[in-house]
Structure formats: structure tokens, C-alpha cells
Amino acid sequence: MTDETAPASNAEEASDDAAPEPELCHGVPVTRSRGQRVAHPSRARLVELVRALHQEGYLQCLDVTGVDYLAHGGDRHLPEGLAPERFEVVYQLINHGTRERIRLRVQVPADDAVVPSLFAIHPGTEAPEREVFDMFGVRFAEHPDLTRILMPEDWVGHPLRKDTDAGRIPVQFKAAPASR
Amino acid sequence: MSTIEHHADAAVSPHHDGVVQTGEGSQELTSRDLTAAAERLRELGAVLRMSEADAAQAELEAAPDDETMIINMGPQHPSTHGVLRLMIELQGEKVLRTKPIIGYLHTGMEWTGEELGYMQGSTNVTRMDYASPLFTETAFSLTVEQLLEIEVPPRATWIRMLMNELNRMSSHLLFLATNGMDMGAVSMMLYGWREREEVLRFFEKVTGLRMNHNYIRPGGVAADLPDGWRDDVLRLLELIPPRLDEYDVLMTGQPIWRERLQGVGAISTEEALALSATGPVLRSTGYAWDLRRDQPYLAYDEVDFDVVVGTFGDCFDRYAIRLNEVHESMRIVRQILEHLPKGDYRIQDRKVTPPPRARIDESMEALIHHFKIFTEGFKVPEGEAYCAVESPRGELGCYIVSDGSSKPYRMHIRGPSFYNLQTLPHLMHDGLLADAVAIISSVDPIMGEVDR
């Protein structure tokens, strides 16, 4: 396909064909999603994996975002043996040397929504982690300044959670002005 | 916790115990003695450059609290490019700490994206980066196409490239205008807007709108190029180069312009990479990374162009990169004029593309497809994908999770300005307040994309 942004997969097609058994990346199960490489570390292994990838050349963490899977009824394409949880924190890492990308999907349970912060390795995750906290209420341990970033400080709730109601601002309708 | 209590708490001791469970504390810059050490390090940018011991030493030497002043810049300052608010700690004229406070333009567009079907999605995302709307549309469309595993016709791809490059020109011209205005070169502002208007006039002819085009859609583009488009593009290509030469005379070689920009707001490659900066901010450090060349999407592997890089990572390099990228974009546009293939401008898959109006009258199938697409939209198979394009500001990515329905389950846009803004505290540290405006301008943030 000339029309996609993941030429990263070109380099790996060979290994993809050769190894049908579950692929591992530093001991973490890896799946493919539309040709893109996705690793599924547990929360405990996240920092270790990111550090190992950083050593390997994945120098930049491009994006951190969250997904609330509360209302998702379908297949989540997780590797075998990995229990799905309500929240997922998704990281996009890039290796400029080999022009490869990897995506990390971390399962985060709703009753203990804390993920280790990557701030110490990638300081550029400071603002997006705040955004994930603001939008989903997932906390990042060891984050230097975990405050809301997009919503006002006194906002209650986390807007991108699937159980957040929308449109709660009461609208006061006025009668049409009398014609003179 | 009520608002009043909460503010009172924040004033007393928000982070004193060092526990990160504070959560919803103040977003503002607090005075030195109320700010935890880790946060102070972050604001100083020290985490990137020095060890904790060095940083602690620097802390000791830093001015005591009563010699510094925290001032507020924005959110409605003419030079903050929209509703960006900066809190700046000053010692005399020297900037010690800076904190960008954002969210004033947050309209929940990612949330809106989950409520709109894939057909309607580009109407929403195009409003994020209002200076280069076609790039967000491209990223969104590429991601949806990747999820659908469809391939658009070559003509659609090349039209997308043409529009993207013209949009890069208009966006950079806007940057040159606002950058000039921020430096006090008011005539530059008028010239930049004037040239941008020429490009927007072409966009209006093609898409019907000057901004927020909703032109690039999943499956192709909304309409084929209109009659006479080639002459219009050729006119643009004739009109703009002499104007760019004028800019060179007006600014590039001019001593005042160089004095204001050279050596101001410098950043190294390591720092830019660590802070997730992309685009001209990263390239200004001499790091040649451009997705168009390094991870080609659309048909960028079939055109010839140079990646413009800087050397010193200062404001002047960022200015020069953007000025020269306009030249490179014109070079790409010339090649597109030569190679634009004939054929369909959108995919002929009736599940994705509405049938042409004329077919509806004669074909039952076409009527059904038309009805289905405009009532419930098309369904996208389960899965998730991330696609990125090189926008004028850096990597613009789109991450979509689909649950098999006709609306994205989650739609996230990685706005380059959101990440590039994180370099501001670092760029401004130890600089003068008078340079702050130059630095903000050189990062070229678009707040619509920062806050989304």
C-alpha cells in the first residue's frame, strides 16, 4: 500500500512470515494491528520495557493517550492470557534509526487506576500524562505535577470516561420579545 | 471538595509532602517555596541537562523568593497566538521559570469525534488545526482507511498531496506573518497574510471554503479539482517565489532581524527528542527527521525534495526552516502538476463512497447505498490503528479504536503543537522577557490543536 503511514512494517515482514509463534519484545507479548507492532506490557513491566526500548534506540515517546473500554463490546485483540481491564493507556514510541514504531497498550483496572509515569525517561510525556489524567482519571505515579490540563481546576469528573453524561448544562429559554 | 476549600488548600501546601496523589491542584505557577522540588526541576528544564545534585546546587544559588516576580502573560495577549496563557517567573528581566497554562480553547473535540460517524469525522477534525486543516483531515482519513484496509485511487492520493503541500505553504506564510508581527515587522504581517490569501483563494475554488474544508475524506477527496485549477496553481507558483525573495530582503539578511532571533531560544537535539518535539522545532537542531521522507505516506516517495534542517536550534533556524520549506513545497507542487494521474478521485466502493447523484435515479442499489451511507454511515471493522503525517508543525497523528460500529469508539489526535509547547519553559529559561515573544512565535503553536 502506498497510502499508509506505517512503512515500519516493511522491515519486519520477513520476521513476521518466519515466526508464527507469539512474538516477544523484551519478554513482552507483541501483536499486530493492521500491520503495526503493538506490545502489551503489564503495569509493573512498563518502565522496564520503555527503558530497554530507549536503550535500543526508541528515543522519542510521541504520544500518550487513554481509552476507556467500558462500553466496548467487541474483540480487543489482546494477546492470549492477558486479562482485559477497563482502561488502557496507549504509548507511541519511535525509533528514528531503524524508522520503526511500536505502540504500547497497558491495561489499567478501574479500581486501581495508577500507572507509573514515564517522565523520568521521556520528559515529553509530562503534558500528555496530565491530559490522560484529566480526561480519564488515570493517575501517574511519580509524575511531577499531576494536575488537570484542559479542564478547569474545579471540574468534577473525567469527561472522556464512557460513563460521563454529556450535555448537563441547563439552558434557560426566554420567551420571544413582544413585538412593539 | 468545593472550589473554595480547594483553592485554600492549594495556597497552603499543594505538593509539600511530595506525594503525587494531589490530583486536582492548581494549574498555575506557584511561588518557589510552595513548589515541590521535582516540579521545580521540571519547570527549570533541569531534568534534561543536569544531575539532581547539580540542580540542587543551582537551586541554592537561585534567587530567594522575594527577589523574583511571577507575571501572567495571556490568555489574551496579542503575541501569544490565540488563547495561550503563560506564567513567567522573572528575576529582573531574566526568565527563571515558565509554565504554559492551556485549555482555554478546549471544546472536547475528541469526545465529539466519538459521537460522529466516520463520514462526518473529517468535519470535526478539520477544526482542530485551523491554520492547516487539510493535514488533520489527511491523518484522520489515512487511519480510517487503514482500519478499513482499503486503498484509495492514485489520483486521490496525488490530489491529497497537492492540497497538503499548498496548505503547508499557506500555514508557513501565516507563520512568517505572525512571526514578523511579533518582532515588530508589521509590514511583514500584511505581506504574509496577503500571500496566504492567494493560496486560500485556490482552496475556496477547490473545496468551497477558505478554511475547515472537509475536503479530504475517508475513501478519497470530496470532489475532483475544478476546471482551470492548473492555471491557478501555476499562477501561485509564479506569484510566490518573488514575494519570498522580498521576505529575504526584508528580514533574513537584515541585522535587526538577526539580532532578535539568532541565539535566542536555543535547544539541543537531545532536549528536543526528550521533550517529544517534532517538526521545525526538532529539525532546527540539525536532526533531519521528516515523515515525508523517512516514513513516506501518500506518494511522497515518488517526489523529489529536500528536508530543511537548521544548525543551532534557535529562533532564527526555525524561521529559516519554514521559509525554505515553502520553497520545497513549491518544488513538490511542480512535480505533482507533472505527474498527477488520471482516474477516480475517490474509491469506487459503494460501502464507503456515496454513489454519484445521477445513478440514484436509475439504480435501486445506488439509492440503497446512498440512503445507508447518509443515515447510518459505514461500519469499520474492530481494531485500532495510528497513522501520522508531517504537518507544518510536526508529527500529526491520529489514533482510532473501532468497535465495529459506524462511529469511532475512541478518536485521538496527536497535535504537534501540544507537544511542542512543552519546550517553551526550556527555551525561555535564562532568557530575557523581551525574547519570550520571539520564542513563542518561533514554536508556532496553534491553540485549536493544543486544546482540541
Side-chain angles (χ1 to χ4, degrees), chain B residues 119-417:
Chain B
M119 277 279 285
Q120 301 161 313
S122 53
T123 325
N124 177 39
V125 295
T126 191
R127 280 155 175 79
M128 288 183 179
D129 183 349
Y130 38 76
S132 56
L134 289 160
F135 289 91
T136 349
E137 292 174 24
T138 311
F140 176 79
S141 303
L142 287 175
T143 315
V144 174
E145 281 152 18
Q146 186 140 45
L147 282 167
L148 284 166
E149 296 181 286
I150 56 172
E151 204 170 332
V152 301
R155 186 177 173 86
T157 301
W158 284 77
I159 293 180
R160 284 177 177 185
M161 246 165 67
L162 172 74
M163 298 299 277
N164 269 234
E165 288 312 311
L166 290 171
N167 201 175
R168 191 184 313 277
M169 285 160 62
S170 75
S171 172
H172 282 341
L173 288 167
L174 178 67
F175 161 79
L176 292 169
T178 52
N179 195 32
M181 184 178 68
D182 290 342
M183 298 298 101
V186 180
S187 44
M188 185 54 229
M189 180 194 81
L190 299 173
Y191 296 156
W193 285 97
R194 183 183 64 185
E195 268 68 279
R196 174 174 181 258
E197 200 57 40
E198 299 291 337
V199 184
L200 294 191
R201 200 164 292 146
F202 176 73
F203 284 162
E204 187 175 5
K205 201 167 176 184
V206 177
T207 71
L209 293 164
R210 293 168 67 254
M211 296 165 78
N212 304 336
H213 310 283
N214 187 20
Y215 178 68
I216 295 168
R217 300 177 183 178
V221 294
D224 208 345
L225 296 168
D227 292 343
W229 69 272
R230 193 177 289 266
D231 296 335
D232 290 340
V233 176
L234 285 171
R235 204 183 128 265
L236 273 179
L237 293 180
E238 254 173 53
L239 183 94
I240 291 181
R243 302 271 172 93
L244 291 179
D245 294 343
E246 278 176 25
Y247 300 172
D248 266 340
V249 177
L250 183 66
M251 301 191 298
T252 313
Q254 191 218 50
I256 301 174
W257 185 257
R258 288 186 167 251
E259 287 285 311
R260 280 301 310 267
L261 293 183
Q262 280 182 337
V264 170
I267 188 169
S268 75
T269 306
E270 288 73 29
E271 290 158 356
L273 284 174
L275 288 170
S276 300
T278 50
V281 178
L282 179 59
R283 284 197 288 276
S284 71
T285 65
Y287 197 78
W289 180 260
D290 187 321
L291 289 179
R292 291 177 293 169
R293 187 197 64 181
D294 294 303
Q295 295 201 329
Y297 55 100
L298 297 180
Y300 279 111
D301 44 351
E302 293 172 41
V303 290
D304 190 29
F305 63 97
D306 290 328
V307 175
V308 187
V309 294
T311 314
F312 303 105
D314 58 0
C315 288
F316 186 81
D317 279 359
R318 290 189 281 276
Y319 153 77
I321 284 177
R322 293 194 177 97
L323 183 64
N324 285 298
E325 278 187 0
V326 181
H327 285 290
E328 290 304 318
S329 287
M330 285 193 290
R331 204 170 135 195
I332 299 176
V333 169
R334 276 193 201 97
Q335 295 173 51
I336 295 171
L337 285 180
E338 275 174 36
H339 297 299
L340 188 79
K342 290 194 169 23
D344 284 322
Y345 61 91
R346 60 185 177 187
I347 190 170
Q348 290 304 319
D349 179 343
R350 291 282 163 255
K351 299 281 183 219
V352 180
T353 317
R357 179 66 189 81
R359 290 282 299 151
I360 296 173
D361 297 336
E362 52 195 47
S363 157
M364 189 65 188
E365 282 278 288
L367 183 65
I368 293 171
H369 283 137
H370 177 90
F371 185 72
K372 290 280 263 187
I373 279 182
F374 285 104
T375 51
E376 63 182 35
F378 54 84
K379 290 193 164 60
V380 169
E382 282 167 1
E384 31 114 46
Y386 176 88
C387 285
V389 300
E390 183 75 30
S391 98
R393 274 155 275 280
E395 165 158 337
L396 198 154
C398 179
Y399 178 66
I400 294 181
V401 180
S402 168
D403 62 349
S405 70
S406 58
K407 291 173 184 171
Y409 183 77
R410 167 99 174 97
M411 197 272 300
H412 170 72
I413 295 281
R414 186 239 188 237
S417 305

Side-chain angles (χ1 to χ4, degrees), chain A residues 1-8 33-34 36 38 59-77 88 90 92 94-97 99-101 103 105 114 119 121-128 130-131 133-136 139-156 158-162 164 166, chain B residues 3 6-7 15 20-28 38-39 42-43 47-48 99-100 102-104 106 110-111 114 142 145-152 157 160 272-278 282 287 289 291 293-299 301-302 381-389 395 399 401-403 408-410 412 414 418-419 422 450-452:
Chain A
M1 248 202 241
T2 53
D3 203 15
E4 60 171 53
T5 46
S33 173
R34 305 294 196 272
Q36 302 171 355
V38 190
L59 292 180
Q60 209 170 22
C61 178
L62 284 172
D63 191 28
V64 184
T65 188
V67 185
D68 177 3
Y69 277 97
L70 184 69
H72 189 286
D75 182 6
R76 287 168 59 179
H77 300 283
E88 236 176 53
V90 184
Q92 317 279 352
I94 190 163
N95 184 339
H96 294 116
R99 300 176 181 181
E100 286 176 74
R101 288 169 185 266
R103 178 156 68 238
R105 287 169 65 186
V114 185
F119 179 75
I121 310 166
H122 296 290
T125 58
E126 195 265 333
R130 275 176 73 192
E131 188 192 316
F133 163 68
D134 193 357
M135 294 291 134
F136 294 95
R139 291 177 172 275
F140 289 87
E142 308 289 313
H143 188 285
D145 176 29
L146 196 66
T147 50
R148 287 187 182 274
I149 187 164
L150 296 178
M151 302 302 287
E153 286 159 18
D154 53 359
W155 187 267
V156 178
H158 300 282
L160 280 181
R161 284 188 173 190
K162 290 286 175 181
T164 305
Chain B
T3 319
H6 161 71
H7 278 293
H15 307 298
V20 199
Q21 296 290 326
T22 48
E24 301 170 31
S26 168
Q27 294 172 21
E28 299 187 347
E39 192 183 336
R42 175 185 64 77
E43 283 165 0
V47 239
L48 296 172
K99 191 170 182 188
I102 61 174
Y104 292 94
H106 176 62
E110 292 189 355
W111 187 88
E114 294 169 11
L142 287 175
E145 281 152 18
Q146 186 140 45
L147 282 167
L148 284 166
E149 296 181 286
I150 56 172
E151 204 170 332
V152 301
T157 301
R160 284 177 177 185
L273 284 174
L275 288 170
S276 300
T278 50
L282 179 59
Y287 197 78
W289 180 260
L291 289 179
R293 187 197 64 181
D294 294 303
Q295 295 201 329
Y297 55 100
L298 297 180
D301 44 351
E302 293 172 41
E382 282 167 1
E384 31 114 46
Y386 176 88
C387 285
V389 300
E395 165 158 337
Y399 178 66
V401 180
S402 168
D403 62 349
Y409 183 77
R410 167 99 174 97
H412 170 72
R414 186 239 188 237
F418 180 67
Y419 289 82
Q422 293 189 92
V450 174
D451 295 342
R452 296 182 300 275

Side-chain angles (χ1 to χ4, degrees), chain B residues 27-38:
Chain B
Q27 294 172 21
E28 299 187 347
L29 189 68
T30 43
S31 62
R32 237 154 230 279
D33 54 338
L34 294 182
T35 315

